[in-house]
Amino acid sequence: MHFADPEYWHLYWLIPGLVAFSWWSFRQKRRALLRFAEAHLIQSLICCTSRPRQKLKVALLLLGLSFLLLTLLRPQWGTRFETVKRKGVDLVVVLDTSLSMETQDVSPSRLEKAKHEIRALIDRLQGDRVGLVVFAGMSQVNCPLTIDQGAVKLFLDIIDTSVIPLPGTNIGEAIRTATRAFNPSERRYKVLILVTDGESLEGDPSRAAQEAGKAGEVIYALGVGTTAGQPIPLHDDKGNVVGYKKSEDGSVVVSRLEETSLANIASITGGQYFHTTPGEEEVERIATLVSQMDRKEFQSRQYLTLVDRFQIPLGVALFLIVLEIVVAEEKK
């Protein structure tokens, strides 16, 4: 026999405590009777009450409680095959790792804020396959589509702005790389989450979004940063800020969130644009939209499982409790 919830074993300490209380209670009743009348008169005064029946009722109640506690332990024996099906959608997160994501107009930085929101989104997904694409001047698949969402978060943890050696921001190429990560034979079940500040310095993201839409993808854009923007900090090997990025004419470059372009990219595929907020309400909204999409079956497996038998002790417990109620204390 196996117990599925063994943490309830400690509740059995209640039984000896209740036995001791019952014994003490009977003694207190006896002492109260002796204060009321002489010992040889007690039996005639309580002639209608049966002491053995009182003890039987207590025993039935304690035994019923013991079986009730056994029910909480969920006893299991015997085995059976159980088919488990997993359904979901394919979701590829496209994360901007260009230098502008170091900007600190959101705390602690745009990149760290983006990574935190992606983790929160992964935690809310149910049964979906998740992949990860990173991009700057070029793009690459950092983690292919997998149902192991914990592995995706491990890949996410080690991402920084040096993961892509080519500087720049090519959103269009990143969308095309994500498209290649999906199954090309499917026209549904495909979601692309574009997480960026929207500053596309190269390529044509609108054209790439049109191609993605034709391939059956829905793009949800998540804008990180502020429209006011801030200078892009430069760090040394120890992570200390040593200056700010400057243009060719020597002026400090201010990076701003480009919401218009991101909203346009999302609308082309029938998706939506969201702006990151401190409360991360947008994560819940994206997760809700994904959960409402048509879902495909990823895998169907048979597992050998133990059979729950808690119904048996539960039935015995109910029988004993009902019997305790039925048994009367009075003699016939």
Side-chain angles (χ1 to χ4, degrees):
M1 183 185 296
H2 175 264
F3 296 102
D5 297 318
E7 63 271 16
Y8 292 112
W9 271 116
H10 67 276
L11 293 178
Y12 270 92
W13 285 107
L14 291 171
I15 301 301
L18 291 173
V19 170
F21 175 77
S22 299
W23 174 81
W24 175 83
S25 180
F26 276 114
R27 286 198 52 146
Q28 290 298 105
K29 286 181 180 179
R30 184 68 178 174
R31 288 179 180 177
L33 286 171
L34 288 174
R35 287 196 298 268
F36 180 72
E38 297 291 338
H40 65 279
L41 297 175
I42 290 176
Q43 194 58 42
S44 60
L45 290 172
I46 58 171
C47 58
C48 295
T49 302
S50 172
R51 192 174 180 84
R53 282 174 176 264
Q54 290 179 332
K55 292 180 179 179
L56 176 62
K57 285 174 68 67
V58 172
L60 289 172
L61 189 61
L62 292 176
L63 196 57
L65 180 60
S66 298
F67 277 96
L68 203 58
L69 293 178
L70 185 60
T71 303
L72 291 176
L73 292 170
R74 280 184 59 201
Q76 299 173 321
W77 66 84
T79 57
R80 68 180 176 193
F81 282 102
E82 184 175 337
T83 301
V84 177
K85 296 181 179 180
R86 191 181 187 107
K87 293 184 177 182
V89 300
D90 285 338
L91 186 147
V92 174
V93 177
V94 181
L95 176 60
D96 187 352
T97 61
S98 62
L99 193 60
S100 64
M101 292 295 283
E102 292 282 10
T103 306
Q104 297 175 341
D105 50 356
V106 292
S107 181
S109 70
R110 290 179 183 176
L111 182 59
E112 290 305 315
K113 173 63 174 175
K115 289 165 65 173
H116 189 274
E117 296 236 348
I118 294 169
R119 290 190 199 96
L121 176 61
I122 292 174
D123 289 338
R124 286 166 173 77
L125 298 177
Q126 298 179 353
D128 303 303
R129 291 200 306 175
V130 182
L132 183 61
V133 169
V134 292
F135 74 96
M138 57 177 286
S139 57
Q140 67 181 30
V141 177
N142 189 261
C143 178
L145 286 165
T146 176
I147 59 174
D148 187 355
Q149 297 174 355
V152 181
K153 288 193 281 188
L154 288 176
F155 279 100
L156 185 65
D157 289 340
I158 60 175
I159 289 175
D160 56 27
T161 53
S162 64
V163 68
I164 298 296
L166 184 65
T169 309
N170 194 332
I171 295 178
E173 178 58 30
I175 293 174
R176 293 187 177 93
T177 300
T179 298
R180 290 191 291 270
F182 291 112
N183 185 345
S185 64
E186 293 178 340
R187 307 295 300 177
R188 298 185 299 168
Y189 321 116
K190 297 189 284 189
V191 179
L192 192 155
I193 308 294
L194 177 62
V195 188
T196 176
D197 54 25
E199 289 187 320
S200 184
L201 307 179
E202 307 161 51
D204 187 353
S206 296
R207 184 176 181 82
Q210 291 173 355
E211 296 170 1
K214 291 178 181 178
E217 299 168 33
V218 178
I219 297 178
Y220 293 110
L222 192 57
V224 189
T226 63
T227 54
Q230 277 190 11
I232 303 172
L234 301 175
H235 299 86
D236 59 16
D237 295 338
K238 296 181 179 179
N240 300 315
V241 177
V242 294
Y244 294 92
K245 185 178 179 180
K246 296 181 179 180
S247 61
E248 293 180 355
D249 61 5
S251 60
V252 175
V253 175
V254 176
S255 175
R256 295 179 175 86
L257 171 63
E258 298 291 341
E259 294 188 294
T260 303
S261 60
L262 292 178
N264 179 57
I265 291 170
S267 64
I268 289 172
T269 64
Q272 295 183 38
Y273 166 74
F274 299 92
H275 180 216
T276 57
T277 60
E280 299 183 353
E281 296 86 357
E282 62 282 357
V283 173
E284 192 64 44
R285 292 174 62 190
I286 293 173
T288 300
L289 289 169
V290 172
S291 67
Q292 293 172 349
M293 296 180 65
D294 290 338
R295 310 177 83 76
K296 65 177 179 178
E297 185 175 308
F298 290 130
Q299 59 181 9
S300 178
R301 292 183 180 179
Q302 280 196 329
Y303 294 90
L304 190 64
T305 60
L306 293 170
V307 181
D308 277 319
R309 306 290 185 179
F310 67 89
Q311 303 91 339
I312 297 175
L314 179 60
V316 174
L318 293 175
F319 171 76
L320 291 171
I321 292 171
V322 171
L323 188 59
E324 187 274 336
I325 296 172
V326 172
V327 172
E329 293 185 5
E330 294 79 12
K331 296 178 182 179
K332 291 184 179 179

